[in-house]
Amino acid sequence: KGTKSKLQKLDVSFLDQTSVHPESYHIARTLLREQGLRQEEIGSEAFVAAMKQLKPGDITEECDEGTKHCILTALSQRTDTDYRDQFARPIFKSNVLCAESLTVGTELEGRVSNVTHFGAFVDVGLERDGLIHISKMNRMTVCLGNRVKVRVEKKDHKGIGLYLLEILG
């Protein structure tokens, strides 16, 4: 029987602490190796300072400029950086404290937390995000981080169904 720890069995990477996409991990690992940096140091002051000195041309792996920029940006941040801090926060209703307090027809503001092929998830300040199904997007297209105004369409044991009323920003 192997002696691998649970973390080793899960194939956890220090890059998981960053916003580098897993499909680009090999590019980031090559960059770190070529620069003499260790993954274990990701997010430390010295690591961040070293990364901020690099330019897209320092990445030797074959990839487009956008990918290079994203990798350098992700590795130039502390691991406790939350990209959502740069956006205005949605105004949550003080009388809506949990999913049980929602009623169909309630209008809310929230932030798009994930976009999928079947719709978008919206953080409306509750314990779980609501879903705007693609058929309920009113011919609008949302992006990650958008502030939106939504209406509760349904609420059941599966979750909160939302209808997109307006993109606020």
Side-chain angles (χ1 to χ4, degrees):
K1 296 192 176 195
T3 59
K4 284 187 173 184
S5 72
K6 286 184 179 180
L7 285 179
Q8 289 171 322
K9 289 177 185 174
L10 292 174
D11 193 28
V12 174
S13 170
F14 286 98
L15 290 168
D16 292 340
Q17 302 174 71
T18 71
S19 59
V20 174
H21 193 281
E23 290 179 358
S24 299
Y25 279 9
H26 69 283
I27 299 168
R29 286 185 182 115
T30 300
L31 172 67
L32 298 182
R33 188 174 50 254
E34 291 174 350
Q35 297 298 319
L37 298 169
R38 296 180 35 223
Q39 290 184 53
E40 295 82 9
E41 298 170 349
I42 288 174
S44 70
E45 285 185 43
F47 185 94
V48 169
M51 291 306 302
K52 287 185 175 182
Q53 301 301 314
L54 299 179
K55 305 286 181 243
D58 294 321
I59 296 178
T60 60
E61 283 279 324
E62 187 68 33
C63 64
D64 61 76
E65 288 299 310
T67 300
K68 290 179 180 184
H69 176 75
C70 287
I71 290 171
L72 289 177
T73 299
L75 294 176
S76 298
Q77 298 175 348
R78 294 171 34 115
T79 52
D80 62 353
T81 301
D82 188 341
Y83 74 93
R84 297 171 296 185
D85 289 341
Q86 65 186 311
F87 301 110
R89 299 200 185 277
I91 301 169
F92 297 124
K93 292 193 172 199
S94 60
N95 62 336
V96 179
L97 302 174
C98 61
E100 289 76 33
S101 62
L102 278 180
T103 57
V104 172
T106 302
E107 291 186 6
L108 303 166
E109 284 187 23
R111 169 98 40 223
V112 176
S113 59
N114 193 14
V115 179
T116 68
H117 68 280
F118 55 83
F121 290 92
V122 178
D123 177 1
V124 291
L126 302 175
E127 63 272 8
R128 61 192 295 188
D129 293 352
L131 171 66
I132 308 170
H133 187 269
I134 197 161
S135 66
K136 304 290 184 179
M137 289 195 175
N138 204 16
R139 298 181 188 244
M140 292 185 263
T141 303
V142 297
C143 298
L144 187 65
N146 278 147
R147 279 185 38 244
V148 293
K149 186 174 185 177
V150 294
R151 180 177 58 235
V152 177
E153 289 281 295
K154 74 173 192 168
K155 181 182 84 157
D156 58 28
H157 67 282
K158 292 181 184 177
I160 304 164
L162 303 172
Y163 181 85
L164 181 60
L165 296 171
E166 183 180 356
I167 299 173
L168 302 171

